[in-house]
Amino acid sequence: MLSQIALSEIVYLSIATLLLILISFFTGYTIAKKQFKNLIGERQQVEASLQASQEQFHNLVKTSRNEIIALQESKKSLQQIIHTIADGLVIVDTYGGVLFVNPAAQSLFKLSETELIGYLLGVPHVIGEFTELCILQPTGNLITAEMRVEEIIWEKENAYLISLRDITERYRVKQALLESEKRLEGILSSIQDVVWSASAKTVQTLYMNLSAQKVYGRPASEFYRDRFLWFKTVHPEDKKMVREQHKLLLETGSMEMEYRIVRPDGEVRWLYHRSRLVCDDLGSAVRVDGIDTDITERKQAEEKLERNAFYDSLTDLPNRALFTDRLEHALKRNKRHPESVFAVLFLDLDGFKLINDSLGHLTGDRLLQSFANRLSECLRPSDTLARLGGDEFTILLEDIKDLKDAILVAQRILQTLTLPFNLNGQQVFTNTSIGIALSADNYQRSEEILRDADTAMYRAKAQGKGCYVLFDPKMYYLALSRLQLENDLRQAIARQELKVFYQPIASLETGKITEFEALIRWQHPEKGLISPAEFIPIAEETGLIVPIGQWILKEGCRQMKAWHEQFSPKIPWKIHINLSGKQLKGINLVEQIDKTLAETDLDASSLKLEITESLLIENVEVATNLFLELRERNIELCLDDFGTGYSSLSYLHRFPISAIKIDRSFIMQMNSQDETNEIVRAIVVLAHILGMNVIAEGIETEAQLEQLKKLNCEKGQGYYFSKPLKKEDAENLLKVQR
């Protein structure tokens, strides 16, 4: 081809040369020469253009060859990807027949390529979205696959590409999670507490169980619709406190409080609220999870108990605790302002025991109620009238000018008692003896002035009753007698005049003795058997109660160990020992108890220590640490005289107390019509809620026993079972029981 082109060019040049000669011949040599040069330039351009065309041709051929190789490599890689990809790939025609399957798809169907090609799988109906497909393998195993379909061109024909991913395990996990959520929802729906969750940023309710209807009186759906509904239900008086607590929640991450809500029907309910802040990995608040418990019944019972702690259930007057508190305030005020004079009147009904015994306790109670009403009519609203117990009443007269004002009140009271009381149509006459003590600089404590008023009252009784007597410091001659008693008491331990009596505590269900309370008695060489009521207060004031208490502890433990050995170490009898305030404050009480148990070889679980409510309140911090140490030793703790002090569940549940004793004053007043039954019921229920057993003191009749059984009271003590016994008599009782 190149030779042909060269030949043509030669011919062309020859002709051109001839023409130039001819032209030159005619036009001149100069013109011909110029034209020849132009022809030579054109030839060179043609040659350069031809050379470029050749190079382009060679490059095009080379590029086409590389592209074919690359396409072949790409197809090979694509085939490798398709064959190694974990997802199953299936291509079907527009009729649903299988055109292609990769190995992963063969594995899903458990069929070979030969078995699948041509298989009528079906025409997909959902394009471009994820759906689920159940595949029944030849082995009978059913799997679940996630499927997505796309339209493609396969070998110049319309087709469908189906991608399949085995999600059987994920599906099982999902189903298990759904089942777990159903169980959780069932549990949350069955509990009585309101369980909820809300957004920390928007306070939008995210979850609330069905208990919302019962507690809030509203369906949970209302809380989803109104994100502020929770706060709207809060009692107006508690909203400020709730706001402050919510701020603390955001600061500390948790919140615990008691507050009131108002239901749509106007009913007020108490809730115990606990919530915590949930944060993400970056520490940002995400939501708040909480539980609300309806504690209305507990609050009502607690309020009833608290009122009983400060008010007399029979007359609804302040009791000793409240009166003492107000007297303390008056005394402190008098110290700051000596011109603020006050007086205490101590009253005791004359002949009340005779009326009570002859006309019955019910008439006696009505007389006390009528007497309280008549006393109230003689006083100002600012005066405090209280019933200390039995037929003893006290009056606190504040802001009086001098002693004459107190005398006028006493005279007015005596005048009103000249008129009879009409009790169910029966007229009853009674009078009262009144002792008066006026505030003075020498009084440091409320019990001192109360004691002097009491002393003056007894002097009034001695003078013939129905009169009043002013306390005279000369009455201190009685203190001399008390001092003598104190001196005798100091020697009583050394002389072995103190004795331990044992009063049985029995199971109300079986009537069998389960425990004994160790009670001290004093066999005075001259005065005979002295009641603890006479010498224990002296022992408390002088500190003698500490060595006496140590002695009782050792004697009681020693005797209980002896009974275990004599009868059976397997019998779980326990000994109750009373702790005094002085012992409670002692720095080595636990060491003394450990030493006593070691010396007597008595197991710690056989020892129960009793403490009164008033002592517990006065020594909260000391008692908390002490009780924890004792419980670690498996020594049980019992709260004595429950209901007569400052009982409050707000603090009671903090102590590891295993049992409470209901004061005998409640048991003595029990009858089928009396509200005292409800108080006892409330005490028993609350004790059981707190995981405590109940012991009723002062059981004297079978009727009381049967009522306590119905109230599920576990144990009791009192004259119905046995009076306090000497150790020999108690031992005989155990022999009879065995």
Side-chain angles (χ1 to χ4, degrees):
M1 184 177 180
L2 293 175
S3 63
Q4 290 178 355
I5 293 174
L7 182 62
S8 298
E9 289 179 348
I10 296 172
V11 174
Y12 177 78
L13 291 173
S14 299
I15 295 172
T17 304
L18 182 60
L19 287 174
L20 285 172
I21 296 172
L22 291 176
I23 293 171
S24 300
F25 181 77
F26 292 103
T27 60
Y29 174 77
T30 304
I31 297 173
K33 185 179 180 179
K34 181 179 180 181
Q35 290 178 345
F36 178 76
K37 289 180 178 180
N38 290 338
L39 288 173
I40 293 299
E42 290 177 359
R43 177 179 177 275
Q44 291 174 346
Q45 290 177 355
V46 170
E47 288 178 349
S49 175
L50 180 61
Q51 182 66 28
S53 297
Q54 289 177 346
E55 291 178 358
Q56 289 177 358
F57 175 77
H58 285 299
N59 290 335
L60 179 61
V61 171
K62 183 179 181 181
T63 301
S64 299
R65 186 178 296 131
N66 290 338
E67 288 179 351
I68 291 171
I69 294 172
L71 182 62
Q72 291 174 345
E73 292 294 331
S74 175
K75 183 176 181 181
K76 183 179 179 181
S77 298
L78 180 61
Q79 289 176 343
Q80 289 178 345
I81 292 172
I82 291 174
H83 281 76
T84 58
I85 194 170
D87 291 348
L89 298 178
V90 180
I91 298 176
V92 299
D93 58 25
T94 54
Y95 298 102
V98 177
L99 302 174
F100 169 83
V101 291
N102 70 341
Q106 298 172 38
S107 177
L108 285 176
F109 286 96
K110 296 298 182 186
L111 296 172
S112 66
E113 182 179 11
T114 303
E115 292 173 315
L116 285 171
I117 297 298
Y119 182 81
L120 191 62
L121 187 62
V123 180
H125 297 290
V126 180
I127 309 298
E129 297 181 9
F130 285 104
T131 57
E132 291 183 358
L133 175 69
C134 292
I135 300 175
L136 180 62
Q137 297 172 337
T139 58
N141 187 32
L142 183 66
I143 67 170
T144 303
E146 185 179 68
M147 180 176 71
R148 183 181 175 91
V149 181
E150 297 291 347
E151 295 179 332
I152 63 170
I153 300 297
W154 178 263
E155 297 181 351
K156 300 181 181 181
E157 297 290 340
N158 291 332
Y160 298 102
L161 173 62
I162 303 173
S163 62
L164 299 169
R165 177 171 295 177
D166 189 349
I167 60 169
T168 305
E169 187 60 30
R170 188 174 75 186
Y171 185 78
R172 288 173 182 168
V173 172
K174 180 181 177 181
Q175 289 299 113
L177 181 60
L178 289 174
E179 291 296 324
S180 177
E181 289 177 349
K182 287 181 180 179
R183 288 194 298 270
L184 178 60
E185 181 62 32
I187 293 172
L188 293 177
S189 299
S190 64
I191 64 177
Q192 311 236 342
D193 295 345
V194 179
V195 181
W196 56 268
S197 183
S199 168
K201 297 180 180 179
T202 65
V203 300
Q204 176 66 50
T205 299
L206 304 175
Y207 173 79
M208 181 171 282
N209 66 347
L210 298 178
S211 295
Q213 178 70 54
K214 181 179 180 181
V215 175
Y216 284 93
R218 304 169 183 270
S221 58
E222 292 189 17
F223 291 89
Y224 292 117
R225 290 196 297 267
D226 186 351
R227 59 178 179 162
F228 298 112
L229 181 58
W230 172 76
F231 186 73
K232 292 176 182 177
T233 63
V234 177
H235 193 283
E237 296 178 5
D238 294 344
K239 286 185 181 292
K240 181 180 178 181
M241 181 268 293
V242 170
R243 286 195 192 96
E244 293 173 351
Q245 289 294 322
H246 190 265
K247 291 180 181 178
L248 288 176
L249 168 66
L250 300 178
E251 294 174 3
T252 64
S254 63
M255 176 171 61
E256 186 174 345
M257 62 179 173
E258 294 180 357
Y259 68 96
R260 292 166 292 176
I261 62 169
V262 182
R263 290 160 53 104
D265 58 4
E267 182 184 3
V268 176
R269 308 289 293 179
W270 274 96
L271 298 186
Y272 172 44
H273 173 95
R274 292 148 290 168
S275 59
R276 66 183 184 92
L277 199 62
V278 180
C279 299
D280 58 19
D281 295 337
L282 299 178
S284 299
V286 177
R287 70 178 191 276
V288 179
D289 295 339
I291 299 176
D292 291 331
T293 304
D294 190 333
I295 58 171
T296 305
E297 292 183 3
R298 194 199 81 185
K299 275 289 185 179
Q300 290 172 347
E302 185 176 333
E303 289 172 2
K304 194 170 185 179
L305 282 175
E306 287 180 349
R307 178 165 184 81
N308 182 66
F310 292 103
Y311 288 87
D312 174 56
S313 60
L314 178 63
T315 62
D316 206 31
L317 293 176
N319 63 7
R320 180 185 292 273
L322 183 54
F323 183 82
T324 302
D325 181 69
R326 293 184 180 178
L327 185 53
E328 284 286 352
H329 282 289
L331 191 59
K332 291 177 181 178
R333 182 184 176 194
N334 177 258
K335 294 296 182 184
R336 295 192 305 268
H337 306 285
E339 69 278 5
S340 60
V341 181
F342 69 90
V344 174
L345 278 63
F346 203 110
L347 298 85
D348 185 270
L349 274 175
D350 296 331
F352 177 73
K353 186 177 184 305
L354 178 61
I355 296 172
N356 208 35
D357 292 343
S358 59
L359 300 180
H361 293 288
L362 183 59
T363 301
D365 289 345
R366 288 174 180 169
L367 175 59
L368 293 175
Q369 292 169 338
S370 300
F371 179 67
N373 293 334
R374 195 169 292 187
L375 289 179
S376 299
E377 295 172 357
C378 301
L379 304 175
R380 301 167 301 175
S382 60
D383 298 330
T384 299
L385 169 63
R387 182 190 177 209
L388 299 190
D391 59 340
E392 292 183 338
F393 293 81
T394 52
I395 299 172
L396 174 61
L397 303 175
E398 296 190 77
D399 296 322
I400 60 176
K401 294 180 181 179
D402 50 33
L403 183 59
K404 292 181 180 178
D405 290 341
I407 292 175
L408 288 175
V409 172
Q411 291 174 341
R412 191 157 56 244
I413 292 173
L414 293 174
Q415 180 62 35
T416 61
L417 294 178
T418 59
L419 299 175
F421 291 95
N422 191 346
L423 305 177
N424 293 335
Q426 185 172 6
Q427 288 189 339
V428 175
F429 288 89
T430 189
N431 218 321
T432 184
S433 299
I434 306 174
I436 304 174
L438 194 66
S439 57
D441 295 338
N442 60 311
Y443 289 124
Q444 301 299 322
R445 296 181 298 176
S446 59
E447 55 262 32
E448 294 174 356
I449 189 170
L450 192 61
R451 177 198 61 202
D452 290 348
D454 188 18
T455 300
M457 183 273 294
Y458 276 105
R459 177 59 63 87
K461 278 191 175 295
Q463 290 183 357
K465 304 179 182 179
C467 64
Y468 65 86
V469 169
L470 308 177
F471 177 75
D472 187 342
K474 294 180 181 179
M475 296 177 183
Y476 277 120
Y477 79 90
L478 295 175
L480 296 176
S481 175
R482 175 192 174 281
L483 182 60
Q484 183 61 51
L485 195 63
E486 178 185 331
N487 292 334
D488 292 345
L489 183 59
R490 291 183 183 278
Q491 302 177 51
I493 301 177
R495 295 175 177 175
Q496 297 184 348
E497 295 172 4
L498 298 178
K499 307 294 181 183
V500 177
F501 279 49
Y502 300 90
Q503 184 169 29
I505 298 174
S507 166
L508 300 190
E509 184 65 28
T510 64
K512 291 186 177 181
I513 298 171
T514 61
E515 301 161 29
F516 283 94
E517 180 177 2
L519 301 171
I520 191 169
R521 296 293 184 267
W522 182 7
Q523 189 66 45
H524 195 281
E526 298 175 359
K527 300 179 180 179
L529 196 64
I530 299 178
S531 168
E534 295 185 44
F535 66 87
I536 288 297
I538 298 175
E540 287 278 4
E541 291 180 17
T542 59
L544 290 172
I545 193 66
V546 174
I548 292 175
Q550 293 174 0
W551 178 80
I552 297 174
L553 174 65
K554 188 172 183 179
E555 282 295 306
C557 291
R558 185 192 60 77
Q559 186 59 61
M560 182 52 65
K561 177 63 177 179
W563 283 336
H564 279 171
E565 293 178 346
Q566 180 178 355
F567 294 99
S568 172
K570 296 182 180 180
I571 301 178
W573 287 326
K574 299 178 185 293
I575 187 72
H576 286 235
I577 306 294
N578 291 279
L579 285 182
S580 70
K582 297 283 186 182
Q583 288 177 286
L584 197 63
K585 294 177 182 178
I587 59 175
N588 60 345
L589 176 61
V590 175
E591 289 79 359
Q592 292 172 359
I593 294 173
D594 288 341
K595 181 181 178 182
T596 300
L597 291 174
E599 290 177 350
T600 59
D601 195 28
L602 180 68
D603 190 273
S605 62
S606 298
L607 176 61
K608 265 190 178 181
L609 299 177
E610 294 191 14
I611 182 173
T612 62
E613 288 182 281
S614 56
L615 288 179
L616 186 63
I617 291 300
E618 293 171 3
N619 304 275
V620 171
E621 296 302 327
V622 175
T624 302
N625 299 327
L626 175 64
F627 286 3
L628 290 175
E629 286 190 64
L630 294 174
R631 286 302 291 157
E632 288 176 357
R633 289 162 168 76
N634 208 22
I635 297 173
E636 293 190 51
L637 300 164
C638 181
L639 194 61
D640 196 12
D641 298 336
F642 188 79
T644 61
Y646 299 86
S647 302
S648 173
L649 293 180
S650 63
Y651 73 82
L652 187 58
H653 73 277
R654 295 185 295 170
F655 299 107
I657 296 171
S658 60
I660 62 174
K661 278 190 171 183
I662 304 177
D663 188 69
R664 66 181 68 250
S665 60
F666 295 106
I667 308 304
M668 291 172 62
Q669 296 180 35
M670 289 184 66
N671 59 64
S672 59
Q673 306 295 327
D674 197 86
E675 67 174 356
T676 303
N677 289 12
E678 294 305 315
I679 296 175
V680 174
R681 183 193 305 276
I683 293 174
V684 173
V685 170
L686 289 171
H688 289 169
I689 290 175
L690 294 174
M692 303 175 185
N693 291 327
V694 182
I695 302 172
E697 293 184 294
I699 301 176
E700 297 183 359
T701 66
E702 186 171 354
Q704 292 170 347
L705 174 64
E706 293 303 319
Q707 287 176 326
L708 289 167
K709 281 184 179 180
K710 292 178 181 178
L711 296 179
N712 294 322
C713 179
E714 289 89 358
K715 300 176 183 178
Q717 68 183 110
Y719 279 26
Y720 179 82
F721 299 105
S722 172
K723 65 180 181 179
L725 303 170
K726 295 180 181 179
K727 64 178 181 180
E728 296 82 7
D729 295 331
E731 189 173 302
N732 290 333
L733 192 61
L734 292 177
K735 291 179 180 178
V736 172
Q737 177 170 295
R738 186 182 63 173

